[in-house]
mmCIF file of all heavy atoms in Angstrom:
data_model
loop_
_atom_site.group_PDB
_atom_site.id
_atom_site.type_symbol
_atom_site.label_atom_id
_atom_site.label_comp_id
_atom_site.label_asym_id
_atom_site.label_seq_id
_atom_site.Cartn_x
_atom_site.Cartn_y
_atom_site.Cartn_z
ATOM 1 N N TRP A 185 88.402 93.744 112.465
ATOM 2 C CA TRP A 185 89.208 94.176 111.324
ATOM 3 C C TRP A 185 90.677 94.179 111.631
ATOM 4 O O TRP A 185 91.451 93.864 110.830
ATOM 5 C CB TRP A 185 88.761 95.563 110.842
ATOM 6 C CG TRP A 185 89.614 95.954 109.614
ATOM 7 C CD1 TRP A 185 90.364 97.099 109.536
ATOM 8 C CD2 TRP A 185 89.782 95.404 108.411
ATOM 9 N NE1 TRP A 185 90.918 97.193 108.367
ATOM 10 C CE2 TRP A 185 90.578 96.167 107.615
ATOM 11 C CE3 TRP A 185 89.230 94.191 107.793
ATOM 12 C CZ2 TRP A 185 90.994 95.846 106.262
ATOM 13 C CZ3 TRP A 185 89.558 93.834 106.420
ATOM 14 C CH2 TRP A 185 90.391 94.665 105.645
ATOM 15 N N GLY A 186 90.909 94.486 112.905
ATOM 16 C CA GLY A 186 92.423 94.525 113.271
ATOM 17 C C GLY A 186 93.220 93.239 113.078
ATOM 18 O O GLY A 186 94.228 93.317 112.516
ATOM 19 N N ALA A 187 92.561 92.120 113.394
ATOM 20 C CA ALA A 187 93.283 90.838 113.120
ATOM 21 C C ALA A 187 93.419 90.410 111.701
ATOM 22 O O ALA A 187 94.584 90.076 111.287
ATOM 23 C CB ALA A 187 92.372 89.645 113.762
ATOM 24 N N TRP A 188 92.471 90.918 110.823
ATOM 25 C CA TRP A 188 92.636 90.729 109.363
ATOM 26 C C TRP A 188 93.711 91.624 108.799
ATOM 27 O O TRP A 188 94.481 91.227 107.970
ATOM 28 C CB TRP A 188 91.241 91.113 108.686
ATOM 29 C CG TRP A 188 90.124 90.128 108.900
ATOM 30 C CD1 TRP A 188 89.145 90.331 109.898
ATOM 31 C CD2 TRP A 188 89.871 88.807 108.329
ATOM 32 N NE1 TRP A 188 88.135 89.381 109.818
ATOM 33 C CE2 TRP A 188 88.653 88.371 108.925
ATOM 34 C CE3 TRP A 188 90.555 88.118 107.393
ATOM 35 C CZ2 TRP A 188 88.122 87.169 108.516
ATOM 36 C CZ3 TRP A 188 89.925 86.865 107.062
ATOM 37 C CH2 TRP A 188 88.777 86.410 107.590
ATOM 38 N N LEU A 189 93.709 92.796 109.312
ATOM 39 C CA LEU A 189 94.796 93.760 108.888
ATOM 40 C C LEU A 189 96.220 93.291 109.270
ATOM 41 O O LEU A 189 97.136 93.471 108.389
ATOM 42 C CB LEU A 189 94.500 95.201 109.449
ATOM 43 C CG LEU A 189 95.112 96.376 108.780
ATOM 44 C CD1 LEU A 189 94.633 96.452 107.276
ATOM 45 C CD2 LEU A 189 94.793 97.688 109.476
ATOM 46 N N GLU A 190 96.394 92.730 110.381
ATOM 47 C CA GLU A 190 97.641 92.195 110.821
ATOM 48 C C GLU A 190 98.111 91.132 109.826
ATOM 49 O O GLU A 190 99.176 91.037 109.429
ATOM 50 C CB GLU A 190 97.592 91.768 112.253
ATOM 51 C CG GLU A 190 97.642 92.818 113.289
ATOM 52 C CD GLU A 190 98.879 93.564 113.435
ATOM 53 O OE1 GLU A 190 99.890 93.127 112.971
ATOM 54 O OE2 GLU A 190 98.863 94.776 113.998
ATOM 55 N N LEU A 191 97.112 90.263 109.417
ATOM 56 C CA LEU A 191 97.448 89.157 108.421
ATOM 57 C C LEU A 191 97.880 89.791 107.157
ATOM 58 O O LEU A 191 98.805 89.197 106.522
ATOM 59 C CB LEU A 191 96.194 88.260 108.240
ATOM 60 C CG LEU A 191 95.982 87.227 109.347
ATOM 61 C CD1 LEU A 191 94.697 86.441 109.107
ATOM 62 C CD2 LEU A 191 97.190 86.151 109.304
ATOM 63 N N CYS A 192 97.286 90.881 106.731
ATOM 64 C CA CYS A 192 97.678 91.519 105.467
ATOM 65 C C CYS A 192 99.234 91.827 105.532
ATOM 66 O O CYS A 192 99.913 91.781 104.428
ATOM 67 C CB CYS A 192 96.941 92.737 105.265
ATOM 68 S SG CYS A 192 95.184 92.603 104.695
ATOM 69 N N ASN A 193 99.630 92.260 106.631
ATOM 70 C CA ASN A 193 101.027 92.595 106.664
ATOM 71 C C ASN A 193 102.098 91.380 106.730
ATOM 72 O O ASN A 193 103.260 91.602 106.553
ATOM 73 C CB ASN A 193 101.348 93.542 107.908
ATOM 74 C CG ASN A 193 100.559 94.848 107.775
ATOM 75 O OD1 ASN A 193 100.338 95.348 106.729
ATOM 76 N ND2 ASN A 193 100.055 95.308 108.833
ATOM 77 N N LEU A 194 101.466 90.235 107.076
ATOM 78 C CA LEU A 194 102.338 88.971 107.190
ATOM 79 C C LEU A 194 102.327 88.129 106.111
ATOM 80 O O LEU A 194 103.324 87.312 105.941
ATOM 81 C CB LEU A 194 101.907 88.261 108.627
ATOM 82 C CG LEU A 194 102.199 89.097 109.881
ATOM 83 C CD1 LEU A 194 101.469 88.396 111.029
ATOM 84 C CD2 LEU A 194 103.638 89.339 110.119
ATOM 85 N N VAL A 195 101.265 88.005 105.399
ATOM 86 C CA VAL A 195 101.159 87.234 104.145
ATOM 87 C C VAL A 195 102.185 87.649 103.105
ATOM 88 O O VAL A 195 102.016 88.804 102.613
ATOM 89 C CB VAL A 195 99.773 87.014 103.610
ATOM 90 C CG1 VAL A 195 99.656 86.295 102.378
ATOM 91 C CG2 VAL A 195 98.872 86.423 104.677
ATOM 92 N N GLU A 196 103.073 86.869 102.633
ATOM 93 C CA GLU A 196 104.163 87.353 101.772
ATOM 94 C C GLU A 196 103.879 87.068 100.336
ATOM 95 O O GLU A 196 104.400 87.825 99.422
ATOM 96 C CB GLU A 196 105.539 86.613 102.203
ATOM 97 C CG GLU A 196 106.032 87.028 103.539
ATOM 98 C CD GLU A 196 107.289 86.308 103.794
ATOM 99 O OE1 GLU A 196 107.776 85.509 102.962
ATOM 100 O OE2 GLU A 196 107.895 86.554 104.883
#
Side-chain angles (χ1 to χ4, degrees):
W185 178 242
W188 293 101
L189 200 57
E190 288 289 343
L191 276 173
C192 283
N193 297 325
L194 292 173
V195 176
E196 292 181 359

